[in-house]
Amino acid sequence: MSDASEVIVIGGGLVGAAVAYGLAREGASVTMLDEGDVALRASRGNFGLVWVQGKGDGMHEYASWTRRSKDLYRSFADVIRGGDGTDIELKQDGGLELCLGEEDFRANEDEIRRMHNQPGVGENDRVMLDRADVLKMLPLIGPEVTGASYSPHDGHVNPLYLLRGLHGGAQALGARYVSGAQVRKIEKDGEGFSVSTKVGAFRGGKVVIAAGLANKWLAEMVGLSIPVEPNRGHILITERMQPVIPMLLVNARQTADGTINFGNSHEDAGYSTRINPAKLAEIARSVIRSFPVLKDARIVRTWSALRVMSPDGFPIYRESESMPGAFSISCHSGVTLAAAHALELAPVILRGGFNERFAAFSPERFDAAPAA
Amino acid sequence: MLRRLPEQKGRRVRFLFEGEQVHALEGDSVAAALLAAGAGATRTTPKSGSPRAPYCMMGVCFECLVEIDGVPNRQACLIEVRDGMRVRRQRGAPGLPGEAEDDPV
């Protein structure tokens, strides 16, 4: 039996590591349990966007939480650099969602209208650009591009450096990191909890379950029902090229080195992370419609990873009522929300009043009986 | 300097590297043929322009990129030499279609 920590964080991905880092910054002793190389690891397969536009359509609390995290990101990047020297390569120069055809254009326009004047979200500064405006930013778009929605808030990081910086920063503050610690059991242990893993048992005053898709069964052990399901995305990486896409797009980004990354596909494929060539072809076809000049670009790498999706796409945060001190944290935007998780959510875990503060993100919203 | 093993036999193949005739054996990869011919650097990098040559010989490192018959960024270690192939060094990132090619002369 190891020494007890104040908090055990189950999960070493971007959500777990951000929470662990935030807790360590508050002075708490933390043990981070990482599943190891068998984990699904959305944190190593994602696109790295710090994305605001369109997030929270249907839940203004999520829109403002996203905006809050984005606002915190610059100072968060500085904090991480101060922690272990890691530069997360944060850029927040705005982003575009290109529209192919009239229907796409109207859909984005409608989304902007729906999200207009929602409480607490901040300035309504996402705008529609017509084709002529987009051409000025992206001279190589194809004839089917009708315009784009633009938000000055959107940006991106290097997600692998972000993960490394969170791990390094947490450990620099004394957090203990344990790899290969697949969790088998979470039990009440006196005032705190005992977590049994493949590499031994760990004791902690509180336990935070931030294990991505595994929250579905781990949170059951503390009396919570967390209905998260996998959603598969693919990413394609091209050879290095001359500048084709000088702006950040929701589905494409060209790095300083010239490679272009494409993503933003959705697929229900259970827990399989195999590559689906048909899906790759679909992404490629859509990219060529946006940028015909890319039809001869060579793809040098592809992969797929699983998003952690709730029924409505919004986060699920909850402290167990039956086992107070046990928390479940799930979301699909582990990159975008990392700053908020570290700087704003973690302190609430230590202070109390968690369920009041994050009432909007309670899983109880999925139990509401349909109106008779 | 790399040398062929003495027992290597096979049909002779001739191709062009930067306009110069190079001899190879059928079954050679373009990368192996260039190394055997002492071609030296086979590309310059897009970022710093520094010279590179084939390294991993198994398709993962992308150090051996060359232009073959007008198509840029081909992996020389994964492509067999053929008679009459026109191979050039890959100079940085390729131009976009429709742009003037830089002339190697």
Side-chain angles (χ1 to χ4, degrees):
Chain A
M1 193 58 96
S2 322
D3 298 339
S5 309
E6 279 167 78
V7 189
I8 292 176
V9 177
I10 300 171
L14 284 169
V15 179
V19 171
Y21 186 34
L23 293 167
R25 276 175 50 81
E26 294 290 310
S29 62
V30 181
T31 298
M32 196 191 328
L33 303 178
D34 201 359
E35 191 179 8
D37 288 340
V38 296
L40 288 165
R41 289 186 160 166
S43 297
R44 288 165 173 77
N46 68 84
F47 203 60
L49 295 176
V50 178
W51 199 258
V52 174
Q53 68 169 295
K55 291 254 185 83
D57 179 18
M59 188 197 270
H60 67 84
E61 295 91 345
Y62 179 45
S64 57
W65 183 234
T66 297
R67 183 75 73 96
R68 178 72 189 137
S69 193
K70 165 258 152 188
D71 288 342
L72 289 166
Y73 237 104
R74 179 52 62 191
S75 61
F76 185 53
D78 295 340
V79 164
I80 292 172
R81 195 197 303 261
D84 79 334
T86 301
D87 175 8
I88 63 171
E89 298 177 359
L90 174 68
K91 289 188 187 61
Q92 294 180 294
D93 304 327
L96 291 167
E97 288 185 15
L98 287 190
C99 307
L100 288 163
E102 293 303 328
E103 204 175 310
D104 253 14
F105 192 90
R106 271 194 300 276
N108 279 38
E109 217 171 13
D110 289 348
E111 192 174 68
I112 291 177
R113 273 200 208 101
R114 274 197 309 272
M115 295 184 70
H116 213 70
N117 296 328
Q118 292 197 21
V121 173
E123 207 184 336
N124 292 301
D125 44 10
R126 181 185 178 198
V127 293
M128 291 306 295
L129 304 176
D130 62 18
R131 181 178 163 82
D133 290 331
V134 179
L135 266 169
K136 283 182 206 135
M137 295 179 175
L138 298 165
L140 296 172
I141 52 171
E144 289 180 78
V145 176
T146 46
S149 59
Y150 169 81
S151 161
H153 302 290
D154 294 324
H156 54 123
V157 293
N158 180 320
L160 299 178
Y161 282 133
L162 175 62
L163 185 61
R164 194 181 85 178
L166 294 172
H167 275 257
Q171 288 174 75
L173 292 166
R176 179 169 50 152
Y177 170 78
V178 186
S179 186
Q182 196 174 39
V183 171
R184 293 179 172 150
K185 234 184 337 203
I186 307 170
E187 295 168 294
K188 214 50 208 145
D189 176 16
E191 287 298 286
F193 294 87
S194 173
V195 180
S196 310
T197 78
K198 221 170 155 173
V199 293
F202 299 86
R203 285 168 45 239
K206 292 185 163 85
V207 63
V208 177
I209 305 166
L213 288 164
N215 273 43
K216 188 174 174 149
W217 51 91
L218 291 175
E220 274 183 8
M221 301 177 186
V222 299
L224 287 170
S225 167
I226 307 295
V228 287
E229 295 295 338
N231 174 284
R232 189 165 69 180
H234 282 77
I235 288 179
L236 288 72
I237 311 288
T238 70
E239 62 190 320
R240 290 177 176 184
M241 305 180 70
Q242 304 286 346
V244 175
I245 309 179
M247 290 281 302
L248 177 66
L249 307 184
V250 70
N251 62 336
R253 166 186 48 212
Q254 187 161 18
T255 67
D257 297 347
T259 59
I260 308 178
N261 313 350
F262 302 111
N264 206 33
S265 68
H266 292 264
E267 206 181 7
D268 179 3
Y271 290 90
S272 162
T273 55
R274 287 170 61 171
I275 298 284
N276 174 0
K279 200 71 194 175
L280 296 178
E282 189 185 305
I283 296 171
R285 275 194 299 272
S286 156
V287 163
I288 291 165
R289 287 171 69 198
S290 299
F291 298 97
V293 72
L294 291 174
K295 71 177 171 38
D296 296 322
R298 275 150 297 269
I299 300 297
V300 297
R301 277 194 303 287
T302 59
W303 67 82
S304 82
L306 300 177
R307 294 183 188 87
V308 181
M309 290 308 273
S310 61
D312 57 11
F314 306 134
I316 311 175
Y317 302 157
R318 195 68 174 168
E319 179 175 8
S320 171
E321 307 270 352
S322 59
M323 295 169 84
F327 301 78
S328 175
I329 312 292
S330 305
C331 69
H332 102 272
S333 293
V335 176
T336 300
L337 294 178
H341 286 159
L343 303 178
E344 302 224 330
L345 181 142
V348 184
I349 285 173
L350 297 174
R351 272 203 311 269
F354 187 89
N355 287 347
E356 292 72 35
R357 168 68 183 81
F358 296 111
F361 302 137
S362 164
E364 289 176 357
R365 68 185 187 269
F366 306 119
D367 310 333
Chain B
M1 206 53 243
L2 292 153
R3 282 201 314 275
R4 287 187 183 277
L5 296 170
E7 64 269 22
Q8 281 196 337
K9 299 268 188 299
R11 195 178 72 82
R12 290 275 290 269
V13 175
R14 286 185 305 195
F15 69 103
L16 292 176
F17 180 62
E18 296 287 326
E20 303 281 320
Q21 185 120 209
V22 178
H23 292 273
L25 290 180
E26 194 167 40
D28 282 353
S29 68
V30 173
L34 290 172
L35 288 170
T42 50
R43 76 172 182 122
T44 57
T45 64
K47 237 180 147 167
S48 64
S50 59
R52 292 285 192 275
Y55 177 62
C56 78
M57 302 300 279
M58 61 182 198
V60 297
C61 79
F62 294 84
E63 292 293 15
C64 67
L65 297 175
V66 291
E67 182 188 292
I68 299 179
D69 294 334
V71 181
N73 276 354
R74 305 297 310 276
Q75 287 177 272
C77 70
L78 298 183
I79 297 163
E80 278 193 25
V81 287
R82 286 188 322 277
D83 268 319
M85 239 181 194
R86 288 171 299 112
V87 182
R88 289 177 48 196
R89 290 191 175 91
Q90 177 65 49
R91 292 169 172 78
L96 298 174
E99 286 186 357
E101 285 291 317
D102 59 332
D103 198 37
V105 178

